Amino acid sequence: VVGGWDSSNTAHLLEIPHESGLTGYHVNVAKCIQPDNTIEHRKVDGSIETAAGFLPLDRAARIGVTSGASTPDSVVQECLERIVMLKKLG
């Protein structure tokens, strides 16, 4: 989920995968996704944490991406570019 950490709309989007038993990450900017395969993200409870190895680099991964209503498309695009780059380097 891409969007502001203070956005209640975006925070609710993060609840959707968690309610289905899936892993989800809420980032507010692309630099939250680091080249060392860590991600700084907001959890459902509102706390911010950094997770290592968030993207499986040794196999294919199915990723769903959504964003808050006021999130600029350019921010979503930057996040997607970082994910693609990680997969290419991995």
Side-chain angles (χ1 to χ4, degrees):
V1 178
V2 183
W5 282 341
D6 294 329
S7 166
S8 63
N9 168 270
T10 306
H12 286 301
L13 291 173
L14 181 62
E15 294 172 358
I16 296 169
H18 285 276
E19 289 172 356
S20 299
L22 301 170
T23 301
Y25 301 99
H26 176 185
V27 300
N28 63 341
V29 293
K31 68 180 181 181
C32 288
I33 303 166
Q34 293 295 310
D36 64 355
N37 198 19
T38 60
I39 187 168
E40 181 180 24
H41 65 103
R42 181 183 180 275
K43 296 171 51 174
V44 173
D45 67 9
S47 63
I48 308 298
E49 77 169 17
T50 299
F54 84 97
L55 188 63
L57 300 178
D58 60 343
R59 63 185 186 281
R62 183 175 297 179
I63 301 169
V65 178
T66 190
S67 62
S70 61
T71 304
D73 290 343
S74 61
V75 175
V76 177
Q77 182 64 36
E78 290 168 3
C79 290
L80 289 170
E81 288 170 3
R82 285 195 173 229
I83 291 168
V84 168
M85 186 60 66
L86 273 175
K87 287 300 284 181
K88 285 183 178 178
L89 295 175

